Amino acid sequence: MGFLSVLSMAHKWIAERAGRGDIVVDATAGGGVDTLALAELVGPGGRVHAFDIQQQALDRTRERLTAAGALDRVRLHLLDHARMSEAVEVDSRGRISAVMFNLGYLPGGDTEVITKPSTTIEALGAALSLLKPGGIITCVLYPGHSGGDAEAVAVEAWAAGLPQTEGQAVLYRQPQRSAAPYLIAVEKRKSQ
């Protein structure tokens, strides 16, 4: 038996902190795999906000959700994840249980269209502000593709610099494989 993949670990940590009726965010909808997993986790009474800058990604996500009968609990946003605070309802701010990032590019899409360090760092800050105490951010990083290494360094620096009064960060990776995907997660501090 091996270790869980970084995506499986991200899903596990989210499932430990979010559940039926919750509000969650998929900051990078891509092909909709994570969006569907989040929609199934929160159930019909929950809500998922899914963001992507490519219509192709949202179309794939819509198809996947429709086939699974879960589209009704998801709001798709053709919007950069750095602007997620603008799209999430005011009454949901501070009530989000989980925000999931799966960085890089759309599988099967244009590999030149990638997430960027500057907007990702802005999005992580927005995500932290939207989380409820005890909520989680998961961020899967891909240092093996062009531009992914710089983004991974920026995200890791952001997490390491996060004051412990705001949240605690963990790193899940294979140290023998420097180009392999890895996971950073941040849990927002509970109110004292």
Side-chain angles (χ1 to χ4, degrees):
M1 183 168 133
F3 293 109
L4 291 176
S5 72
V6 292
L7 283 173
S8 294
M9 183 58 82
H11 285 260
K12 178 182 183 330
W13 286 342
I14 287 171
E16 291 171 353
R17 291 161 180 85
R20 296 280 179 215
D22 281 353
I23 307 165
V24 296
V25 173
D26 184 350
T28 50
V33 173
D34 295 330
T35 307
L36 177 57
L38 291 169
E40 290 172 340
L41 178 66
V42 300
R47 162 87 26 89
V48 180
H49 289 275
F51 295 86
D52 211 289
I53 60 168
Q54 297 180 79
Q55 187 62 52
Q56 177 186 15
L58 294 181
D59 291 344
R60 285 189 198 173
T61 299
R62 180 178 282 109
E63 287 174 20
R64 186 178 302 273
L65 293 166
T66 300
L71 183 61
D72 61 333
R73 62 193 85 151
V74 178
R75 290 199 180 153
L76 299 172
H77 303 278
L78 183 60
L79 194 64
D80 190 295
H81 57 204
R83 296 179 54 203
M84 74 174 72
S85 291
E86 299 171 26
V88 173
E89 302 87 353
V90 173
D91 66 343
S92 295
R93 295 175 189 168
R95 296 180 47 223
I96 306 292
S97 297
V99 181
M100 184 170 205
F101 290 78
N102 192 348
L103 301 176
Y105 55 84
L106 176 65
D110 182 352
T111 59
E112 297 297 314
V113 179
I114 61 173
T115 53
K116 307 277 188 198
S118 60
T119 55
T120 296
I121 297 304
E122 190 176 341
L124 287 164
L128 189 60
S129 74
L130 293 171
L131 279 183
K132 68 181 184 180
I136 189 170
I137 297 169
T138 62
C139 190
V140 176
L141 303 155
Y142 296 88
H145 74 80
S146 179
D149 52 347
E151 186 171 44
V153 167
V155 170
E156 201 166 324
W158 174 84
L162 191 64
Q164 289 187 11
T165 55
E166 291 184 43
Q168 60 180 351
V170 295
L171 182 69
Y172 181 77
R173 78 179 307 172
Q174 296 176 347
Q176 306 98 321
R177 297 178 56 217
S178 62
Y182 67 101
L183 170 64
I184 290 179
V186 173
E187 183 180 56
K188 187 168 184 172
R189 294 280 297 194
K190 294 182 179 178
S191 299
Q192 300 291 332

